[in-house]
Amino acid sequence: MEPSHVSNLQPKQPRQKRGERRVAELLAAAAEVFTQTGYRAAAMSAIAEKAGAPIGSLYQFFPSKEAVAEALLTRYLNEMSAEWAELDDRVGDIDLKTFVHDLIRRHIDFSRQRPAFSELVEASGLFSRPSVRSEARAIFTRNVQRSLSVLAPALPADRLRQIADVTVQLVKAANALNKHVARRDAKAVMEEMDFVISSYLETRLNFPSEK
């Protein structure tokens, strides 16, 4: 049986297109509010107001603020899987440096386009489902590992997972740098991160050194 505290948080599923549009509007509004105020300070009334919806309409689909956050995070995690799947489709046709460049840019763009994602992942310790942070990391790592298995099919899965773990942390570091570095230096700094990650992978995946 599913724990009752989780069952009570499940949002109502919309049955019509109109309901689906309303849920999308409510989640978009919630993303803005969580970004502006943070999860802890966000109020259901502020989400409803941002969406231009009656508070009752919000509670009709989401019985609590946590349910809104869970639904938004689930959407983001699904989008993350879809985003990396697109890169997977290209991996066999591009070289390592192009792969690294795309990997960094996709991660940066994903975070930039969904600023509430980082806020909610950081606040996930307040949820009944505290594993959100590890879920996001696992999705990212699995996708990187799958790509690396195409680039280096001879390496064993355990070794690829270790390399993927390190690569994910390096990509996250690149994203953090991109957020804080001065705009005039951003391009040069990202090129340095391209070099760092490419050099690491060339060595660990046993790629021949360029001369």
Side-chain angles (χ1 to χ4, degrees), residues 18-33:
R18 182 177 179 182
E20 291 174 1
R21 286 196 300 271
R22 173 61 66 173
V23 166
E25 291 166 358
L26 292 170
L27 290 179
E32 290 189 47
V33 172

Side-chain angles (χ1 to χ4, degrees), residues 68-81:
V68 179
E70 291 267 355
L72 194 55
L73 273 168
T74 296
R75 176 167 293 188
Y76 287 156
L77 293 176
N78 289 338
E79 290 172 351
M80 178 184 287
S81 292

Side-chain angles (χ1 to χ4, degrees), residues 107-108 111 169-181 189-190:
H107 187 67
I108 289 173
S111 298
Q169 294 306 313
L170 290 171
V171 172
K172 288 171 66 176
N175 191 15
L177 271 173
N178 184 69
K179 290 178 181 177
H180 299 295
V181 73
V189 169
M190 288 303 99

